Amino acid sequence: VQLQASGGGLVQAGGSLRVSCDATGRIFSIDTMSWYRQAPGKQRELVAHSTIGGSTKYADSVKGRFTISIDNAKNTVYLQMNSLKPEDTGVYYCNADIFAGIGRPRNYWGQGTLVTVSS
């Protein structure tokens, strides 16, 4: 199983950006998909989390501005980011709990995509 994130880039404060993450490989089912970010010099933090059933939770700093969604048919998770702020700058990583059909679900990380918000 591999997670491939894409869609990062440079955007001005107040702008919008959507990042996506495709899960490929031997996938029987996906339990959860999440987005984390790591700003320069800081620890990685949870930004948004969604179960495959649509239950979501967000970091307080992004509530009302970011929306996570999962396309079940494509095994893809999106993060729509609106009203971006310079403090949203960082490398965004996708994470997923995936069951490959054997044993137990495992946790996977994508490689990250850089989001830079200029002031």
Side-chain angles (χ1 to χ4, degrees), residues 3-4 6 11-13 18 31 38-39 41 47-48 59-61 70 72 74-75 91 93 98 103 114:
L3 300 180
Q4 180 70 42
S6 61
V11 63
Q12 288 188 332
R18 188 178 79 161
D31 293 341
Q38 188 164 18
V47 175
D60 288 343
S61 59
I70 298 175
N72 295 359
K74 296 181 178 180
N75 292 333
V91 178
Y93 298 91
I98 296 174
L114 177 63

Side-chain angles (χ1 to χ4, degrees), residues 27-97:
I27 298 171
F28 183 82
S29 64
I30 297 176
D31 293 341
T32 67
M33 300 188 89
S34 305
W35 286 97
Y36 288 73
R37 70 184 176 195
Q38 188 164 18
K42 295 188 176 181
Q43 289 188 331
R44 192 174 298 188
E45 62 175 351
L46 176 67
V47 175
H49 170 88
S50 178
T51 67
I52 205 66
S55 178
T56 59
K57 65 178 180 181
Y58 297 90
D60 288 343
S61 59
V62 307
K63 282 181 182 176
R65 300 188 297 120
F66 289 13
T67 302
I68 187 172
S69 60
I70 298 175
D71 184 328
N72 295 359
K74 296 181 178 180
N75 292 333
T76 298
V77 61
Y78 303 97
L79 185 68
Q80 177 66 44
M81 302 181 287
N82 299 327
S83 302
L84 282 160
K85 304 175 181 180
E87 51 264 42
D88 294 318
T89 294
V91 178
Y92 283 69
Y93 298 91
C94 56
N95 177 275
D97 291 317

